[in-house]
Amino acid sequence: MITRTEQRRAQEQAAELLQKTGLAFRPDELASIEVADFGLGELESSGPLPSSGALPSSGAQILTLVNSEKIAVKLLALTPGQTLPEHAHPRLGSYEGKEETLRCAWGELYLYGPGEPTPNPKGHPPAQRRHTYTVWHERVLRPGDQVTFEPNTPHWFQAGPEGAAVWSFSTKAVDVQDVFTDPHITRQTVIVDLITRHGSVS
Amino acid sequence: MITRTEQRRAQEQAAELLQKTGLAFRPDELASIEVADFGLGELESSGPLPSSGALPSSGAQILTLVNSEKIAVKLLALTPGQTLPEHAHPRLGSYEGKEETLRCAWGELYLYGPGEPTPNPKGHPPAQRRHTYTVWHERVLRPGDQVTFEPNTPHWFQAGPEGAAVWSFSTKAVDVQDVFTDPHITRQTVIVDLITRHGSVS
């Protein structure tokens, strides 16, 4: 759950970050940025500072450019230390699940998937969620670097100290069916209007 | 047919153009840019100057970022007035054909598909090929603008006076099976080494 104010602030931060890629976006696109907190309500964290210098939090801001019955193209804007929690894109009936290529457009991304766990990884999930992260094979993506995940492959990622803008090029996206390792996660974000005692909405 | 020198020059022009998008590319990506002349050998034209100010020519420089059995992501770099001739992506057995979203990343693109012909279109195919262009419904794409074509929909496009960088986000690409309206077109480009009488290769 996040407030309308938190949503607006996250959208503004995301728009700023996406414009660092140098790419052009239409105003209606920037106004449509989705803010996802994965039901955790920790879009911005006040947790202990890890060695990387970025405060880990959970969430993502998502700009969808193409979303057809066949393919999806999205740009994810992650604030410094923001973490998209571990998940996979499972088979759904006759659809074998989402194949996804993640490509760093700006900043630095710590990306994890199956394989030999990397010693001293750069990524630090929020401490209270760390036990829900099971894959630790690290790839550090800088602008122009990309990795492709087959359907149903668990993966998670975290932005470096400056944040990151990341392309997701994929087959059909069915986000609400993504399977997260953390049982506390729900893919849909609840936005609330906080009415103060003076009647204003925040 | 183009010479190795023409290929190299086109690759360099394309790399310059793509970098105007602000995006980051790996050196191995920039070195892999495909130069397509569609068998017409008129990558650069010396034809009459149209009102737009750009000399029309036929061809495209193509940087492939993703090319799996399911999706393709490409960036097309077009020099000023360069034209990708009219074509469609047909059904191939059980594959219903390529669905494609074209999105302008930089410059200006004159894009044509089925529909009411636009009076006084901005695009000017090379004069000697004009009779092979049958769809004339115009959309002018500037950075951030995009259009999606269903499989097997004829379309063609031309870069404006500064050139253009254009995203192609699509389902599986099978370029050599594209159907071009112009019967003189072949999708594969022949590159020749010209040996001069002094023995050097150009």
Side-chain angles (χ1 to χ4, degrees):
Chain A
M1 195 180 75
I2 57 173
T3 66
R4 185 102 19 216
T5 306
E6 288 173 312
Q7 183 196 31
R8 223 167 10 230
R9 188 170 52 216
Q11 284 176 327
E12 285 164 7
Q13 287 175 328
E16 241 175 74
L17 227 149
L18 290 180
Q19 284 170 328
K20 290 183 180 176
T21 60
L23 287 167
F25 302 101
R26 302 189 312 273
D28 63 295
E29 289 178 324
L30 293 177
S32 76
I33 294 172
E34 178 196 359
V35 178
D37 80 336
F38 303 101
L40 299 174
E42 53 188 35
L43 263 189
E44 293 181 51
S45 170
S46 53
L49 194 72
S51 56
S52 75
L55 287 167
S57 58
S58 301
Q61 292 65 238
I62 305 167
L63 174 55
T64 299
L65 301 185
V66 180
N67 191 26
S68 80
E69 281 300 304
K70 297 172 187 165
I71 66 166
V73 176
K74 303 182 178 212
L75 262 163
L76 313 179
L78 303 175
T79 54
Q82 203 174 35
T83 312
L84 202 151
E86 185 176 302
H87 66 288
H89 310 290
R91 172 180 282 281
L92 296 167
S94 65
Y95 177 44
E96 65 184 305
K98 186 167 98 166
E99 172 193 292
E100 183 175 34
T101 296
L102 295 166
R103 179 181 174 96
C104 183
W106 187 87
E108 196 173 52
L109 192 76
Y110 312 139
L111 175 61
Y112 300 86
E116 189 65 35
T118 301
N120 308 311
K122 285 168 167 276
H124 297 265
Q128 70 281 18
R129 305 274 163 213
R130 192 182 169 99
H131 62 286
T132 65
Y133 288 74
T134 69
V135 292
W136 286 93
H137 183 72
E138 177 179 85
R139 293 175 185 93
V140 177
L141 268 53
R142 299 193 175 86
D145 294 333
Q146 66 184 43
V147 171
T148 299
F149 289 103
E150 293 296 307
N152 214 18
T153 307
H155 58 287
W156 64 277
F157 46 88
Q158 183 175 63
E162 309 290 326
V166 185
W167 289 103
S168 166
F169 303 123
S170 75
T171 57
K172 183 181 180 180
V174 195
D175 295 349
V176 294
Q177 305 267 24
D178 288 348
V179 174
F180 286 83
T181 310
D182 185 340
H184 288 101
I185 285 179
T186 55
R187 180 58 183 82
Q188 268 159 326
T189 298
V190 176
I191 314 285
V192 294
D193 284 320
L194 273 190
I195 315 287
T196 71
R197 57 192 172 135
H198 305 294
S200 61
V201 170
S202 72
Chain B
M1 194 180 77
I2 57 174
T3 65
R4 186 100 22 217
T5 305
E6 287 174 312
Q7 182 196 32
R8 223 167 10 232
R9 189 170 50 215
Q11 283 175 327
E12 284 164 8
Q13 286 174 329
E16 242 175 74
L17 227 149
L18 291 179
Q19 283 170 329
K20 290 183 180 176
T21 61
L23 287 167
F25 302 101
R26 302 190 312 274
D28 62 298
E29 289 178 325
L30 293 177
S32 76
I33 294 173
E34 178 196 358
V35 178
D37 80 337
F38 304 102
L40 299 175
E42 54 188 36
L43 263 190
E44 292 180 54
S45 169
S46 52
L49 193 71
S51 56
S52 75
L55 287 169
S57 59
S58 302
Q61 292 64 239
I62 305 167
L63 174 55
T64 299
L65 301 184
V66 181
N67 191 25
S68 80
E69 281 301 303
K70 297 171 188 167
I71 67 167
V73 176
K74 304 184 178 209
L75 262 163
L76 312 180
L78 303 176
T79 55
Q82 203 175 35
T83 311
L84 201 150
E86 185 177 301
H87 66 288
H89 310 289
R91 173 180 282 281
L92 296 167
S94 64
Y95 176 44
E96 65 183 304
K98 187 166 98 165
E99 171 195 293
E100 182 176 35
T101 295
L102 295 166
R103 179 182 174 95
C104 183
W106 188 87
E108 196 172 52
L109 191 75
Y110 311 139
L111 175 61
Y112 300 86
E116 190 63 36
T118 301
N120 306 312
K122 285 168 168 276
H124 297 265
Q128 70 281 19
R129 304 274 164 213
R130 193 183 168 97
H131 62 287
T132 65
Y133 288 73
T134 68
V135 292
W136 285 94
H137 182 72
E138 176 179 86
R139 293 175 185 91
V140 177
L141 269 53
R142 299 195 174 84
D145 295 332
Q146 66 184 43
V147 170
T148 299
F149 290 103
E150 294 295 308
N152 213 18
T153 307
H155 58 287
W156 64 277
F157 45 89
Q158 183 176 64
E162 309 291 325
V166 185
W167 289 103
S168 165
F169 303 124
S170 75
T171 57
K172 182 180 180 179
V174 195
D175 295 348
V176 293
Q177 305 268 24
D178 288 348
V179 174
F180 286 83
T181 310
D182 185 341
H184 288 101
I185 285 179
T186 55
R187 180 59 184 81
Q188 269 160 326
T189 298
V190 176
I191 315 285
V192 294
D193 284 321
L194 273 190
I195 315 288
T196 72
R197 58 192 171 134
H198 305 294
S200 60
V201 170
S202 71

